[in-house]
Amino acid sequence: MITRIVIAIVIILCVSIGALGILLSHTSDCPALPQAELSDDKMMAVLRPCYGSPDVLEYVFIDVPEPAEDEVLVKVAAASVNPLDYHFMRGSPYIMRLMLGTGAPDNARFGRDFAGTVVATGSEVTRFAPGDRVFGGTDGAFGEYITRPETGSIAPIPEGVGFEDAAAIPIAGVTALQALRDHGQLEPGQRVLINGASGGVGTYAVQMAKAMGAHVTAVCSGRNVELVRSIGADEVINYKEESYLDSGQPFDLIVDMVGNHSPMENQSILTPEGKLVIVGGDKGNWIAPFVVPIQALVSNQFVDQELKSFTAVMDSDDLVAVANMVADGEVVTVVDSQYPLSDTAQAMRRSESRRARGKIIIEVEEAD
């Protein structure tokens, strides 16, 4: 009797998991979007009406949003592209669709990192006023206007920081800061290895680690060696010619954006009290993005060193902290390329290639 119950439970679980997998992996056809004429109350926006490649992106005129009582209306001057954007575009890994919408996105607006000028405020807003330059993160950054609450991931742009620099900071800059300061607890004089040093997070992390007084070893491809050395790396390893596992030097901290070595392999070159901080994961629709973080979670139970993965939490204090580093010249934004809003699909293709050096910027201009 007990055996039959167990078998029944297993069957129910398998059927449930299979049904959930089918639900999450289903991608609806792209609907035809209404085309509006440009007028004073319309704006250009990039929409993703369905999941898929950059080919699904649509450029349409939509209504300029009205700010709620606690919101600001921002005229976007610049935005930037992050790996998170192509995960949102493709709805991958599929588990993300529980948050984004099954079959198709619940919200077609697209993009996260923005910088621009406040043009209107809700009746309860006290932190910002029209004319203020601001930056941060919110849905719909790939468009001429966005609204968002005045609290949370929005902050004033310091003097001396341009819109392009500010737009590049939110996800990449805050992730680098939190990886080094909060999760890596980096201290002056320590040795840190940055794996994936030429990307958006990596170029910020190299410079921040140097500003914190660390000795920085950067890992990148041969074509990026001089770039990474120019932003402050003490040593640079071309991963196509040698493995950083053979460097012969123990590290106090490894910040890994690539995941080409297992947590236990990384653990072998850490000092006895060293830390491994994993940022992001591999591409894949199902479990591939979670393999390395799960390995770190399990391995962490059996070693003295600390092995962890994390996702950055954006807040105004950390936005300001990174922007001030840029304003003071401690950190520069490495820009890979710039695209007009009308070429957002091409910017996404560049991002998905994983060959971008630094940040990809979207220049948001009023449509003709």
Side-chain angles (χ1 to χ4, degrees):
M1 182 65 177
I2 294 177
T3 302
R4 291 181 178 178
I5 293 174
V6 171
I7 293 174
I9 291 174
V10 170
I11 292 174
I12 292 171
L13 285 174
C14 290
V15 171
S16 299
I17 292 172
L20 179 62
I22 292 172
L23 174 66
L24 294 180
S25 61
H26 169 68
T27 299
S28 301
D29 293 335
C30 277
L33 296 179
Q35 298 295 320
E37 294 287 336
L38 178 60
S39 60
D40 290 342
D41 61 348
K42 302 292 182 182
M43 69 172 197
M44 175 65 78
V46 180
L47 303 186
R48 68 185 198 301
C50 58
Y51 297 122
S53 73
D55 293 334
V56 307
L57 300 182
E58 297 277 356
Y59 305 88
V60 297
F61 293 115
I62 62 174
D63 292 335
V64 175
E66 292 285 339
E69 292 179 343
D70 63 340
E71 290 183 335
V72 295
L73 174 65
V74 179
K75 186 179 187 301
V76 179
S80 72
V81 178
N82 298 280
L84 181 66
D85 296 316
Y86 61 69
H87 287 302
F88 277 20
M89 179 182 68
R90 293 184 178 270
S92 174
Y94 292 143
I95 192 70
M96 293 179 66
R97 299 187 182 190
L98 290 174
M99 172 183 67
L100 301 176
T102 57
D106 293 332
N107 179 7
R109 292 292 303 271
F110 186 47
R112 291 291 300 173
D113 288 356
F114 74 90
T117 304
V118 175
V119 293
T121 62
S123 60
E124 297 180 0
V125 171
T126 58
R127 189 176 168 211
F128 299 107
D132 289 347
R133 299 192 315 142
V134 296
F135 73 118
T138 194
D139 290 335
F142 299 158
E144 292 180 327
Y145 292 88
I146 56 98
T147 57
R148 63 146 297 115
E150 66 170 334
T151 58
S153 55
I154 183 171
I157 300 175
E159 289 294 328
V161 177
F163 286 125
E164 289 78 12
D165 278 336
I169 288 171
I171 290 178
V174 170
T175 298
L177 177 65
Q178 293 180 359
L180 296 167
R181 183 196 64 193
D182 302 338
H183 299 278
Q185 297 178 328
L186 186 63
E187 297 179 0
Q190 289 188 326
R191 297 180 60 89
V192 57
L193 182 140
I194 310 293
N195 187 23
S198 61
V201 177
T203 50
Y204 280 125
V206 168
Q207 298 174 81
M208 291 179 188
K210 284 299 296 180
M212 294 177 183
H215 180 282
V216 179
T217 298
V219 183
C220 62
S221 65
R223 72 187 185 94
N224 296 320
V225 167
E226 291 306 317
L227 165 67
V228 172
R229 186 175 285 121
S230 73
I231 58 175
D234 297 290
E235 301 177 44
V236 183
I237 296 174
N238 177 359
Y239 72 83
K240 293 187 176 181
E241 296 182 353
E242 60 179 310
S243 170
Y244 66 78
L245 298 176
D246 301 326
S247 64
Q249 295 289 339
F251 295 96
D252 300 288
L253 171 64
I254 298 174
V255 179
D256 186 8
M257 274 76 68
V258 180
N260 55 336
H261 295 291
S262 72
M264 289 304 289
E265 288 177 314
N266 280 310
Q267 178 268 337
S268 69
I269 60 169
L270 287 173
T271 60
E273 296 181 351
K275 295 178 176 63
L276 166 67
V277 177
I278 299 165
V279 179
D282 201 1
K283 285 185 177 181
N285 292 330
W286 295 103
I287 65 171
F290 308 106
V291 169
V292 171
I294 290 173
Q295 288 177 338
L297 180 65
V298 174
S299 301
N300 197 51
Q301 311 305 312
F302 304 100
V303 298
D304 293 330
Q305 295 99 329
E306 188 174 350
L307 317 177
K308 65 165 67 173
S309 64
F310 87 105
T311 300
V313 178
M314 197 186 304
D315 61 38
S316 61
D317 289 341
D318 283 350
L319 286 169
V320 170
V322 179
N324 284 338
M325 291 181 190
V326 174
D328 294 341
E330 291 182 308
V331 171
V332 298
T333 297
V334 177
V335 176
D336 173 84
S337 49
Q338 295 176 282
Y339 295 85
L341 184 63
S342 57
D343 276 349
T344 298
Q346 191 61 30
M348 294 303 302
R349 293 186 183 96
R350 176 66 177 169
S351 179
E352 285 196 291
S353 74
R354 293 196 170 189
R355 294 180 59 81
R357 300 189 288 182
K359 292 291 297 181
I360 300 170
I361 303 298
I362 302 293
E363 297 174 327
V364 182
E365 300 175 353
E366 288 191 19
D368 293 331

